[in-house]
Amino acid sequence: MAQNMTPLPVDGTATGTQKRSRLVAFGVGTLIVAIALVCFWAYKEIKSTEEKLEERLSDRAKILVEDRVGAVDTQVKGLKNAASRLLEAPMFTFFAAEVNNYKGDIGVLIAPEKKGAKPASEDEDALDRLMENVPLMVVTLRDFCQGDGFVAGRIVNAQGNTYLSTMATPPALTGDEQRRVSEVVDTGRAVISPVYASPFGLVHDLVLPIFPPAFEAQAKPVSVLLLTKAVTGKDNLSELVQTSTVAGEGFVVKFIQKTPDGYQKMGLGLSATLSKIQQPEGSGEDALPFGVRASVDGGEEVYSAGRRIPGTEWWIVQERSYLASRVDYHEAVQRIIVLAVLAALVLALVVSVFWWRLVGKEQEEIAGQFRDLCCVIGDQKQLLDGINSTIKDPISMTDEAGVYRYVNRAFGLAVGRSPEEIEGLDTTAVFGFDTAKRLRVSDQKILDGADSVTIDETIWLQSKRHFFQISKAALKGDDGKLSGIVSVFRDITAQVEAQERGSRMVQQTIHALVRAIEASDPFLGGHSRIMGQIAVCIAKSLGLSNRDVATVEAAASLSQIGKMFVPREVLTKPGALTEEEKKIMEQHVEYAHEVLKDIEFELPVLEAVYQMNERLDGQGYPLGLSGDQIGMPARVLAVANAFAAMARPRSYRAAIPVETVLNILQEDSADYDASVVEALGKVLHTPEGEKIVAQAAASKAL
C-alpha cells in the first residue's frame, strides 16, 4: 500500500489550498452567523415595536376610560349628594313617616277627588293632616327637580304606591321599577337604573331610600324617592361620556349597559338611541381588559378596554381600529426589514472584502470594481437629477387649509399661471369651486390620517378637458405632525380618450355583428335580444360587478353568431336532432370563436361565449368543462339562453309557460347553476321580468 500512495507535494500547493478552503469556510460561517444575528435583531425589534405600540395604546385606553368613568361617577355622586339634602330635610322625613303609619289608601294624596268617594274612617284626621302638607311637598319636590336638572320625581311607599309626584298623572311603576324599589327598601342603599326610553326621551332613574326621622342603623326605609334624569343635554350622561379632558388619539368611546334582557349600546349625541348588542368578548364583573376583539358594534377588529362605572351597570369602553392602529407599526416593520437587509448586505460586503484581503486575491481589481461602482452611482445620480429637472407632471404642495405653498413649472403651465402667482392661493382660486370641492375630499382623507391617496379626476384647464390621475401623500415633519400634502398630477387624457374610442369601436362592432345575425336569421336576433335582457337582470340580481354585467350583456348579443354558419336545415329542424346533426350544430361555438377571436373587447366576452354551452356535470361542449372551471358570466348566459329558447314560440310549438320553464331548469341541477336559476325566478316576478316575458311570448313563431 505504501508503494501505491501519491507523495505529498513539496512546493506548498496542497497546504495553500487547504488554508484557502479553511478561510472560505471561515468566511461563509462568519457571514451566516452575522446574518443570523441581523435576523435575530430584526425579530426582537419588531416584537419590541409591537409591544411598545400595544403598551402605548393600552395606557391611552385606560387613561381615557378612567377619565370618563371618573366624570360619570362624579356626576352620580353629585346627584346623590344633591338628593341627600332633600332626603334629610325634616319635613320630608316626618311626612314619609306619617304616610308610612297611615293605614288607609294613600292614593287619595295624589288624587284628592277619591277622598269623597270613600266613607270616613278613624284615620280621617291623619289623612287631612297629610293632605294639608301635600301641596307644599309637591312644590318642594318640583323645585328640587327643576333646580338640579331632573325631568321628573316621585315618592312611593315600601309597597311601590306613589303618593307624591311632579307629574300630574304619574304612571304605575313598571316591573323593573318595582324591583328596584324593593331592593332599596331591603338594602337601604341607593340604586342607579339602566338607561331606558320614556316620554322624556332616554333617561335613567336615581332610586334613594327615605328613612324615618329618628334614624337608627337598623331602621329600614319608610319610602323611596325616584328621580328621573335625562341622558341628553348639557352636563348630562351623553355629554359626559363624549367629553374627555385628555387627547383621544383615534379612540372612540362606547357606552354600554347590562340589563335583565342583555347588553345594550347607547348611541351618543343629541338624538341618543339604544340598540341591543352581544356581551363584549372577555368582559368580567368590573373590567374589560385591554386587548384585540370585535367591536361592540360588531364587524371590524379593534383594540379596546373598558370598565364598569361603580354602583351602576354602565360600562365605558374605548375602541380604536386595529388596522388603523397598526399603520405606524407596519411602517416601522418595513423600516426594520429594510435596515436588516441593508445591514446583511453591508456585512456580506465586509466579510467578502475581509476574506479577499486574507487570501490576497486581486486587491487592485476589487479597488477598480469599487471605482467603477462609484462611477455608476455618479452616473445614476446625474441621470436622476436630469429626470427631476425635466419632469412634465404637475407637482404641488398645499397646507392643511388647501393653500398652495409650492408648485413646479409644469403645474403653472397647466393652469396658465406662473408658480409665483399660484403660491398663496387656495384650491378654489386655482380650479374653481366645483373642482376644488372634489379635490378636498381626497385631501380630507390625508388630514384624517391616510399616508397616501390616488384618485382619477376630470379637470377643465384653459377651456380644455383633461383627465388626471392624482397621487397625494402626507408630508410630515420630524415630530410626525402633518405639515402639508404633496400632489402629483399625471395627465392621462390621451389614454382615457383612446379607451373611449376603443369602447365605441367595440360597441359599433357588436352592433354590426348583431345586425348581421338578424339579417341571417330573424329568430336568432330576437333570441339574442330576449336572452341579453334576461341575462343582464340575472347578473344584477346576483350582485355581479359592473365588469361582469357588461361582459354578460355583450356576450349575449354575440352568443348566436356562430349559428350563422350552421346549415339552415339543421338550425331550423323541428324535433330532435340526430347525433350527426348535433355534432354539426355544436360547431357553432368554434365558428363564433373564429369570428370573435381577433376583436379587442377589453372584457372576457369571447371566454363567456365559448363556455356558455358547458354544463356543471361536464356533459356540455366544446371542452367538457365542469364545476368551477366555468366562469360565472357563462353560467348566467347558459340559464338565460335555455330560458329564451323555451319561453319563445317556435314554428313547431307554442311558447312554454314560464313556471314550466323554471321547473325544467330547477330539475336540471346537474346542468345549470342553482343560484343562477333561483335569481332567474326572482327576476321573472319583477315588473321588468314580466315585461321581458311578454315580449318573448309575443315573438313571431318560426
Side-chain angles (χ1 to χ4, degrees), residues 270-284:
L270 296 178
S271 57
T273 56
L274 290 175
S275 56
K276 284 189 175 183
I277 60 172
Q278 297 295 324
Q279 180 178 356
E281 177 185 341
S283 60

Side-chain angles (χ1 to χ4, degrees), residues 344-456:
L345 293 175
V346 170
L347 286 173
L349 181 61
V350 170
V351 171
S352 299
V353 172
F354 179 70
W355 182 82
W356 278 109
R357 286 188 177 278
L358 286 176
V359 298
K361 280 285 187 178
E362 301 174 353
Q363 296 186 21
E364 287 298 326
E365 182 179 347
I366 294 175
Q369 290 175 352
F370 274 107
R371 285 193 297 271
D372 293 341
L373 180 62
C374 291
C375 291
V376 171
I377 293 174
D379 292 341
Q380 291 179 344
K381 183 178 182 301
Q382 184 177 2
L383 176 62
L384 290 175
D385 290 341
I387 293 174
N388 287 331
S389 64
T390 58
I391 287 179
K392 301 299 183 182
D393 291 335
I395 301 175
S396 68
M397 188 192 79
T398 56
D399 60 18
E400 297 182 18
V403 176
Y404 287 93
R405 299 305 180 191
Y406 166 80
V407 297
N408 67 347
R409 183 170 177 271
F411 190 98
L413 292 174
V415 301
R417 297 184 182 183
S418 67
E420 293 75 14
E421 289 180 290
I422 298 172
E423 292 173 6
L425 301 178
D426 61 11
T427 312
T428 303
V430 175
F431 291 109
F433 178 79
D434 291 336
T435 302
K437 184 178 179 181
R438 297 195 303 272
L439 294 177
R440 287 295 290 175
V441 172
S442 54
D443 287 349
Q444 188 61 47
K445 294 180 180 178
I446 300 294
L447 297 176
D448 290 341
D451 290 329
S452 61
V453 174
T454 299
I455 61 171
D456 292 331

Side-chain angles (χ1 to χ4, degrees), residues 285-362:
E285 288 295 325
D286 295 309
L288 178 65
F290 178 82
V292 180
R293 55 180 61 88
S295 171
V296 298
D297 297 326
E300 69 167 338
E301 283 192 332
V302 296
Y303 283 108
S304 66
R307 190 163 78 84
R308 186 170 66 88
I309 299 170
T312 71
E313 289 298 337
W314 300 339
W315 290 69
I316 296 295
V317 177
Q318 292 288 157
E319 295 183 348
R320 194 174 194 269
S321 169
Y322 178 81
L323 295 178
S325 301
R326 295 176 71 88
V327 170
D328 293 339
Y329 164 73
H330 290 305
E331 292 179 350
V333 169
Q334 291 176 356
R335 289 195 295 270
I336 292 171
I337 292 174
V338 170
L339 288 175
V341 171
L342 291 176
L345 293 175
V346 170
L347 286 173
L349 181 61
V350 170
V351 171
S352 299
V353 172
F354 179 70
W355 182 82
W356 278 109
R357 286 188 177 278
L358 286 176
V359 298
K361 280 285 187 178
E362 301 174 353

Side-chain angles (χ1 to χ4, degrees), residues 75-213:
Q75 189 205 47
V76 170
K77 290 179 179 178
L79 296 176
K80 290 181 179 179
N81 291 336
S84 66
R85 296 194 302 271
L86 180 68
L87 298 177
E88 293 171 1
M91 60 182 293
F92 266 90
T93 58
F94 277 106
F95 187 77
E98 289 181 2
V99 172
N100 186 59
N101 293 329
Y102 178 66
K103 304 304 181 184
D105 180 13
I106 65 171
V108 298
L109 297 178
I110 201 164
E113 65 275 6
K114 295 181 180 179
K115 179 180 178 184
K118 296 184 178 181
S121 66
E122 296 178 358
D123 293 330
E124 189 69 25
D125 292 338
L127 178 60
D128 290 338
R129 289 194 301 273
L130 291 174
M131 293 187 68
E132 288 177 0
N133 292 320
V134 166
L136 175 61
M137 302 298 292
V138 171
V139 170
T140 303
L141 179 60
R142 183 178 293 116
D143 291 344
F144 167 77
C145 291
Q146 293 176 350
D148 286 86
F150 294 100
V151 297
R154 66 164 73 179
I155 300 178
V156 301
N157 64 3
Q159 290 73 38
N161 298 317
T162 302
Y163 61 86
L164 280 182
S165 174
T166 60
M167 296 176 284
T169 307
L173 296 183
T174 64
D176 289 338
E177 291 173 333
Q178 187 67 58
R179 282 192 294 272
R180 286 191 282 273
V181 169
S182 299
E183 180 182 350
V184 172
V185 171
D186 292 339
T187 63
R189 294 192 298 268
V191 171
I192 303 295
S193 78
V195 175
Y196 63 93
S198 76
F200 304 104
L202 289 187
V203 298
H204 66 86
D205 290 336
L206 180 61
V207 189
L208 307 108
I210 302 177
F211 292 94

